Structure formats: structure tokens, C-alpha cells
Amino acid sequence: MDSISGGNSLPSGADGVKRKVCYFYDPEVGNYYYGQGHPMKPHRMRMTHALLAHYGLLQHMQVLKPFPARDRDLCRFHADDYVSFLRSITPETQQDQLRQLKRFNVGEDCPVFDGLYSFCQTYAGGSVGGAVKLNHNLCDIAINWAGGLHHAKKCEASGFCYVNDIVLAILELLKQHERVLYVDIDIHHGDGVEEAFYTTDRVMTVSFHKFGDYFPGTGDIRDIGYGKGKYYSLNVPLDDGIDDESYHFLFKPIIGKVMEVFKPGAVVLQCGADSLSGDRLGCFNLSIKGHAECVKFMRSFNVPLLLVGGGGYTIRNVARCWCYETGVALGLEFDDKMPQHEYYEYFGPDYTLHVAPSNMENKNSRQILEDIRAKLLDYLSKLQHAPSVQFQERPPDTELPEADEDREDGDERWDADSDMDVDDECKPMPGRVKREIVEAEPKDLEGQKIAEHARGFDCTTDEIAGTKALDPMMPIDEPSVKVEQENLSKGSDQMYP
């Protein structure tokens, strides 16, 4: 086990083993701005990245700039007319489209801002890129802190979320894994992801959230899935002030039993940081270590793991949390005393990584917690073992041949039928990681069949998940950043000449 900056190592044992980690980051992501007074601030990703750089974590993982997701990629889950609307709407034109704004729930919580669509492309590209990396066994853990926007629905924005990168990433993982587990520790219910997979037994969703007169109002303990998906959605309703000990009294036995009976081939963990103590919109009392203990616990199963961000509105604590959790993913502990960096003043007056929880009342009594735990373990007892899944005509694994040195222009899409104009300025990112570009050969994935229906879909999952893969990563021309590019196939919708 390693430690840096004089910190202590994590305990050895099952999760003391080194993991190969891929980290997705676009230097432009912090420039997007929801508007004055809006609690969602993409700037928190830039703050997180600065902490990772100055703690020396970037050199321990592969740093990748995501390939922006394209229209057709987003349409694997989202409705075509909704994606077209997101692409075309601008602050200047929104007054002419009031009916559309209302129809797609865009306006107040989900405002129109400059670069909205490219923001969606960027954060979705990182999550799907992480899924592709895991599918190719190119890393053990993939991280996209810009992702985790779990409220977005097929045809509408919701709760600051426009595109559901998590659903898109899970659809990608389902190409390689018969079962995928989704775990959500954001303070808000992961309603968009639950809804997408409510009727299938191939995706299990488990959400720990504040319940009762709280957005989005869903996530009752009695909501357990439907049809083939019955017992494959679990909801853990919590009250104000829950602390680390109470949280893990539920989290560890429930997730431990889920791992035992569901046996997922891959896990997606949504690490929304609004469940931390002192969040601007939240009302829980978790410490950063308590929050990160969930990451550590999921890591200990040694199953391919995708970590995504989510909520978090006291941005100095969001950056602290996701920096620490990146260290947990890597198996590195580091000093509580924060190194000097460009956002150092945000972290005063103590300039430490960890913050103490408050003395707020924990409204989750032991009796309530025991009842919740017993009820959920009872649901899980109905799943005697991992479901037997028909997985016919499995697509061939996409190979990753040697890099083509003639194809090293970071601004070129090299895609004859792209429906996007790509003109990204490539900015350097801090870190001392060597550059590497891998080009993958397209394969024909047509014929992959995944016969499941999902609530809220107009079509079967095989129509959505079965024939398309995303362009997950975009190269950058900076020698300080290691970039890998897998240009995966799209079945009949083939991308590369």
C-alpha cells in the first residue's frame, strides 16, 4: 500500500490491493454556469481537479478527456425530439419556444444556459467512456465526477439534470455484463435511473435518500420494481440528521446481501455529495470519511466499478469529498492539511480536507433503522440467487489494435458521418502522466439482443442498448495527459469508415 504527503495507508486486505483507475475530466467543464443564484455549480469539478493535482493523485491514474456524446448516443435512452430540443435551445431563442420549454421541464430548476448541450455531451461522454473502459478490462475503477445526473428522464429534464449519463453508462455495461448494480448515496432519490430499469431483472437499483416532503418525492420503501423487475429496485428512506454510524448500519448489510444474491458483473456508484453534513440543500450529517466508507465498501468486492458524481451544493465540501474518494479508489491516504493551490481560499479558515459533522439531531431512531433493515433484507430473501438471464447472440469483444501514429490530431473527429461539428480547444491539464492514444477497430454489433422492457421506454431495451456504443473519449494534444481512445462500433449505425 502506498501513501503520499506523509499520510497513512488504508488497511491492507481485500481492498488493500492496488486498482487501476481511469479518471475522466474535461478542463472546460468548470466554465459552464447555470446562472446567478443557482445552487448547481460545475465549477466544483475544477476545484476537485485542482485538489487532485496538488495532492499528487493524477500521476497515480490514467487521466482522460471524455469524447463528447453525440445525438445518436444520447438517443439510446432519451427521446429524439427531446435531444433535438436540447441541441437547439439557447438563452437567446428560449422566448420563442415557451411550449417546448414547458413540455420538456426546462426553465427554472433546469435553466437554459450558454453551452447547455455541450455540457450534456461532456458529462455523458465521461460516464459512457468509463463504462467502455471497464468493459474492455482497461481499468478496475473508472471515475467521472462530472456525471451522476440521476433525475433526468427519457423525455424531460428534472432536478438540475438534463441527460441521464448513468442510464447511458449502464446500457453500455449491459453489453458486456449480464447484471449491473446501481447504488445511489445522493441525498435525493435516484428516480430517473430507477424508472429506466424498473421492469428488468438485469439492473438492480438501490437508493439511500431523504424521504418525506423532499424532492423528488419518490423512493418509498414499498417501491420494489414491477414484473420481471420485482424486488430489483430497493429504496432506503431516511430522515434528517442521519450520521455515519446509522448510515452504515443500513448500507453495509443491505449492499453486502445485494452483492451476494444479485452477483453483479459491474457496479455503478453515484456519490452525490449533498448527503454530507452542512450541504446547502441537504439535511444529512455524514462526514467525508463516512460518505467515502461507501466507496471503500464497494471497492472491497473487487467488481468493475464506475464512480460518478451527482448533487453537492456546498462546493468546498464537494471538492474535499470527491478528492478523498479518488484517494480511496486508488488505495491512497493523504494529509488532512491541504496543499496550497489556486482555490486554497475556499477552504478557510482551517484549510483541511476533512470537516467535522454538526451536532444536529438524528431523527432516525434505532427502531426505525432496524425496521428498514429487516424489511429490505426480507425483500432480498425473495431473490434466492442471481437470476438466470437469457443472453443470446452476445456481441464479439471489440479489439483495441495498436495506435495509428498518423491519426494524432486532437481536433479531428475522423468520422465521415458525424452529425456534430466538433471544434474543441484542447487545454492542458496538470499532472505528470504520459500520453497514449489507442484506436479501436469498429465491429458490427448488430444482432445483440437484450430482451427486456423498461418502464418509461417506448421500445425494448435491446432496441436501446443492443446496437449502439458511444464514442467514449476524445484525444487531447497535451503531452502531460494520457489519453486513450476507443472508437467502438455502432452496429448498423457504423461510425468509422
Side-chain angles (χ1 to χ4, degrees):
M1 284 300 305
D2 289 324
S3 64
I4 53 180
S5 301
N8 300 314
S9 303
L10 290 175
S12 55
D15 56 348
V17 180
K18 284 298 246 190
R19 303 286 197 279
K20 185 171 182 191
V21 179
C22 291
Y23 163 76
F24 286 81
Y25 178 71
D26 188 319
E28 294 297 309
V29 78
N31 292 332
Y32 296 103
Y33 182 58
Y34 276 63
Q36 190 170 7
H38 199 289
M40 177 63 102
K41 301 189 186 307
H43 177 61
R44 64 204 180 132
M45 263 77 79
R46 191 189 280 137
M47 292 170 62
T48 303
H49 188 77
L51 281 181
L52 295 176
H54 286 82
Y55 267 113
L57 295 185
L58 296 180
Q59 61 196 299
H60 292 273
M61 53 191 179
Q62 189 179 25
V63 179
L64 300 159
K65 184 181 179 188
F67 233 144
R70 301 186 305 181
D71 289 30
R72 62 186 76 169
D73 307 326
L74 302 179
C75 288
R76 293 172 63 215
F77 171 57
H78 293 286
D80 294 16
D81 56 352
Y82 175 54
V83 172
S84 298
F85 165 79
L86 289 177
R87 188 180 67 245
S88 62
I89 193 78
T90 68
E92 294 71 40
T93 63
Q94 63 177 325
Q95 286 310 308
D96 308 327
Q97 302 198 48
L98 296 177
R99 256 186 83 191
Q100 295 275 79
L101 289 167
K102 187 171 182 186
R103 177 184 168 201
F104 296 124
N105 195 35
V106 171
E108 292 192 10
D109 276 1
C110 304
V112 178
F113 56 86
D114 285 328
L116 168 60
Y117 190 65
S118 57
F119 174 63
C120 295
Q121 291 178 287
T122 297
Y123 78 72
S127 295
V128 177
V132 170
K133 280 282 192 183
L134 294 170
N135 277 351
H136 286 280
N137 299 315
L138 293 170
C139 62
D140 305 305
I141 302 173
I143 299 174
N144 177 34
W145 294 130
L149 278 73
H150 57 172
H151 297 305
K153 309 295 196 299
K154 179 183 177 179
C155 299
E156 69 174 50
S158 175
F160 317 159
C161 308
Y162 303 86
V163 162
N164 200 313
D165 61 289
I166 300 165
V167 171
L168 294 170
I170 290 171
L171 291 174
E172 192 67 36
L173 290 167
L174 286 171
K175 294 174 176 176
Q176 197 66 32
H177 301 284
E178 295 183 0
R179 290 175 302 281
V180 176
L181 171 64
Y182 173 65
V183 180
D184 189 317
I185 61 171
D186 192 290
I187 195 171
H188 300 97
H189 177 230
D191 58 337
V193 185
E194 176 184 281
E195 183 177 300
F197 300 110
Y198 205 66
T199 63
T200 176
D201 60 1
R202 292 194 57 202
V203 178
M204 188 161 198
T205 62
V206 187
S207 178
F208 297 77
H209 50 267
K210 157 78 175 165
F211 184 70
D213 194 25
Y214 200 71
F215 183 86
T218 50
D220 192 292
I221 195 168
R222 293 168 294 189
D223 296 338
I224 55 173
Y226 183 78
K228 284 180 76 173
K230 190 173 183 184
Y231 303 120
Y232 291 91
S233 290
L234 291 185
N235 285 294
V236 188
L238 304 169
D239 207 342
D240 294 8
I242 193 160
D243 56 24
D244 295 351
E245 185 195 354
S246 299
Y247 202 89
H248 290 288
F249 177 78
L250 295 176
F251 188 88
K252 289 183 175 177
I254 290 165
I255 295 300
K257 180 57 80 172
V258 165
M259 294 299 289
E260 178 190 324
V261 299
F262 185 62
K263 294 185 169 60
V267 176
V268 179
L269 177 60
Q270 197 268 22
C271 302
D274 46 6
S275 45
L276 291 172
S277 182
D279 187 78
R280 178 177 164 186
L281 299 186
C283 53
F284 283 1
N285 198 20
L286 297 182
S287 71
I288 288 170
K289 280 188 174 164
H291 195 274
E293 186 67 28
C294 299
V295 177
K296 195 169 163 189
F297 190 67
M298 295 307 332
R299 181 187 190 269
S300 70
F301 293 98
N302 210 12
V303 170
L305 177 62
L306 174 62
L307 301 178
V308 293
Y313 307 101
T314 300
I315 61 174
R316 61 185 182 274
N317 291 347
V318 177
R320 286 172 157 125
C321 181
W322 291 345
C323 172
Y324 184 73
E325 288 176 346
T326 304
V328 168
L330 287 162
L332 298 170
E333 272 277 16
F334 36 91
D335 281 354
D336 188 31
K337 185 168 166 32
M338 201 169 276
Q340 281 278 351
H341 62 285
E342 56 268 45
Y343 305 113
Y344 189 69
E345 68 277 8
Y346 281 78
F347 300 95
D350 47 358
Y351 306 102
T352 55
L353 193 62
H354 292 281
V355 284
S358 76
N359 58 358
M360 72 186 293
E361 179 195 355
N362 182 357
K363 292 188 178 173
N364 301 269
S365 71
R366 193 68 173 191
Q367 186 60 56
I368 288 170
L369 294 170
E370 285 175 358
D371 291 348
I372 290 171
R373 185 161 92 163
K375 183 81 170 164
L376 291 166
L377 291 174
D378 179 57
Y379 288 153
L380 284 166
S381 71
K382 311 271 200 286
L383 307 179
Q384 291 308 311
H385 48 74
S388 57
V389 176
Q390 292 287 303
F391 200 73
Q392 299 159 335
E393 299 183 60
R394 186 165 185 156
D397 290 335
T398 306
E399 293 171 17
L400 300 176
E402 291 299 305
D404 179 350
E405 291 185 356
D406 295 330
R407 295 277 203 181
E408 291 229 2
D409 185 344
D411 290 336
E412 288 265 348
R413 220 29 225 241
W414 356 304
D415 180 359
D417 67 345
S418 174
D419 46 14
M420 293 284 169
D421 293 324
V422 176
D423 183 21
D424 286 314
E425 271 188 60
C426 298
K427 301 261 175 91
M429 291 193 286
R432 295 163 294 213
V433 195
K434 68 173 198 234
R435 172 184 171 86
E436 173 181 308
I437 293 185
V438 180
E439 183 184 348
E441 197 136 291
K443 300 269 182 186
D444 192 318
L445 299 192
E446 202 169 357
Q448 175 179 359
K449 298 294 177 194
I450 305 170
E452 303 291 350
H453 291 276
R455 184 174 81 173
F457 288 178
D458 289 341
C459 47
T460 57
T461 314
D462 63 302
E463 289 173 270
I464 295 170
T467 55
K468 297 186 192 172
L470 296 191
D471 302 343
M473 287 151 265
M474 179 162 187
I476 23 187
D477 255 346
E478 308 308 327
S480 63
V481 182
K482 182 171 180 180
V483 176
E484 291 211 2
Q485 192 169 326
E486 287 104 359
N487 300 334
L488 286 195
S489 57
K490 287 224 174 188
S492 56
D493 190 10
Q494 199 144 358
M495 300 179 308
Y496 296 97

